[in-house]
Amino acid sequence: MDTDHQVDADKLFGGWTMLETPPEPPGELACFINISEYLEKNLSSEDAKIDDRTCRRCVEKLTLMMEHKRREVVDEIMDYQLFLMELEKESFDIDVEQRGKELKDLLEEEENLKSELSRAKEEEEKVTTEFEAQMEINKQLLKKEESYHKRYLKYLNSHHLIQDNLTTLNHELEYTREKLMILGKTNAFDATFNIWYEGNFGTINGFKLGYLPSARINWEEINNAWGQASLLLFALAKKLNFTFTKFKLVPYGNRSYIEFLAEQKTVPLYGSGSFKFRWDNSLDTAMVAFLDCLQQLKESKKGQSSISFPYKIERARLENPASGISYSVKIQFNCEEFWTKSLKFLLTNLKWALMSVKILEKEKERILIKKMRSIRHQK
């Protein structure tokens, strides 16, 4: 094969010879078009010279390609025929009037939907306006809630303070009730007047009443003791609402005295000077009057209460029931030991009077409580 034919073959097959293996074969349609153009160009030329071998191979290749193409076209024709047969089987009778009615209904539905959409938009705008109004109301309510919350916290704080104060007051009330209960059980006379003894001496609130050569008590202490004794006897008589006859006690500390109502005179319940040589018997008269007042207090409640004395009083003397010996409260014509012992007996009787009055008061309270309960039960 000459050079010209070789060049044409190269052009025909894209720059590679029939004997070479192309890197990538061209598409069938492109190859077919190239071969067709080549044959048409060379066959139409009068002085065209074609190598028999080359033309034969080209024709064979072209024949194969055209046969393949023909088969494809035949297959497509068969497919179109089958499709046509299917279409011919189907009925394409269309009811134009029915379709028109459906179209009209669809258009009416479209208009209705548009109208409904317009109403929905109006409703949306209305709802949006109401929502904004409600949001404003909610904002105001939140402000009020915050204000109420602050006031609530303020009141809550006040409530806690009041609760604390109430708790404190309850504790104070309980403490006061306990104190009141203790005070209720405490007798004012017992708390105010303490009658006891110290050796041979009787004492009242710590003051000794009497005189002994071995224990010389000064008149100041003795006078104070008589002042406490007169105050106690006066208070007991007032507690029992009792008035002494013939005498009137005037408690005045260490200068207490007794009034004689008939004579309209006063005698001092205090002394001074010597114990053995006393020409003034006014203190003796006052002590005898005091003893008489004590006996009046006892006899005033005789048969009505349990007031009794361990030592019997007879005018100016007090008798010891154990020995049957009586001792005078007078200083004149008396020794210091007997006088001191008589005063000790006198204070003992006074203590018993105090205890008896306390018992009487409790009895009165019991009777009063019983009456009150009876009245409540009747109601």
Side-chain angles (χ1 to χ4, degrees), residues 4 35 78 84 113 135 324 328 373:
D4 295 333
I35 294 173
M78 291 296 294
L84 180 61
L113 291 174
M135 288 297 293
S328 175
R373 289 179 178 175

Side-chain angles (χ1 to χ4, degrees), residues 141-328:
L141 290 175
L142 288 175
K143 289 182 179 179
K144 288 184 178 180
E145 181 182 4
E146 185 178 359
S147 176
Y148 291 152
H149 187 65
K150 290 180 179 179
R151 291 171 61 185
Y152 167 74
L153 292 178
K154 181 180 178 180
Y155 293 145
L156 184 62
N157 185 41
S158 300
H159 172 71
H160 289 323
L161 291 176
I162 293 172
Q163 284 294 114
D164 292 341
N165 293 334
L166 182 60
T167 303
T168 303
L169 290 175
N170 285 333
H171 290 163
E172 291 179 357
L173 180 60
E174 188 65 24
Y175 175 77
T176 305
R177 284 175 177 171
E178 291 178 0
K179 286 293 183 181
L180 182 60
M181 187 179 297
I182 294 172
L183 291 174
K185 294 178 180 179
T186 303
N187 186 274
F189 291 103
D190 288 340
T192 307
F193 301 100
N194 180 26
I195 299 175
W196 199 238
Y197 65 92
E198 186 175 331
N200 294 321
F201 293 95
T203 62
I204 179 168
N205 290 344
F207 298 112
K208 296 183 182 70
L209 192 59
Y211 180 88
L212 291 174
S214 61
R216 298 182 179 182
I217 309 302
N218 58 50
W219 279 111
E220 190 66 24
E221 185 173 353
I222 295 172
N223 295 336
N224 284 326
W226 275 119
Q228 294 295 316
S230 62
L231 179 62
L232 174 55
L233 186 56
F234 175 84
L236 291 175
K238 189 173 182 179
K239 184 69 177 177
L240 296 176
N241 196 22
F242 174 73
T243 303
F244 298 111
T245 60
K246 301 188 294 181
F247 307 108
K248 179 181 180 182
L249 287 174
V250 182
Y252 201 66
N254 60 355
R255 289 296 182 268
S256 300
Y257 56 92
I258 298 176
E259 292 183 3
F260 284 67
L261 299 177
E263 293 85 353
Q264 294 184 352
K265 67 176 183 177
T266 61
V267 289
L269 194 57
Y270 54 89
S272 61
S274 174
F275 278 89
K276 286 189 175 181
F277 304 102
R278 291 182 56 84
W279 302 109
D280 185 9
N281 64 352
S282 58
L283 177 58
D284 288 346
T285 303
M287 288 189 292
V288 172
F290 184 90
L291 195 61
D292 185 82
C293 290
L294 184 58
Q295 181 66 16
Q296 287 184 43
L297 183 68
K298 175 181 180 297
E299 292 176 352
S300 67
K301 307 303 293 183
K302 190 174 182 180
Q304 301 179 26
S305 67
S306 59
I307 291 180
S308 61
F309 293 153
Y311 302 104
K312 185 179 179 181
I313 299 174
E314 291 182 356
R315 297 184 180 179
R317 307 180 71 86
L318 291 99
E319 181 183 342
N320 186 354
S323 62
I325 301 173
S326 61
Y327 302 92
S328 175

Side-chain angles (χ1 to χ4, degrees), residues 76-87:
E76 288 181 0
I77 291 172
M78 291 296 294
D79 291 337
Y80 285 129
Q81 286 178 351
L82 291 174
F83 182 69
L84 180 61
M85 290 174 65
E86 291 292 333
L87 290 176

Side-chain angles (χ1 to χ4, degrees), residues 350-362:
L350 191 60
K351 184 176 180 67
W352 277 61
L354 174 62
M355 295 173 61
S356 298
V357 170
K358 183 169 64 174
I359 294 171
L360 286 174
E361 288 300 313
K362 288 185 177 179

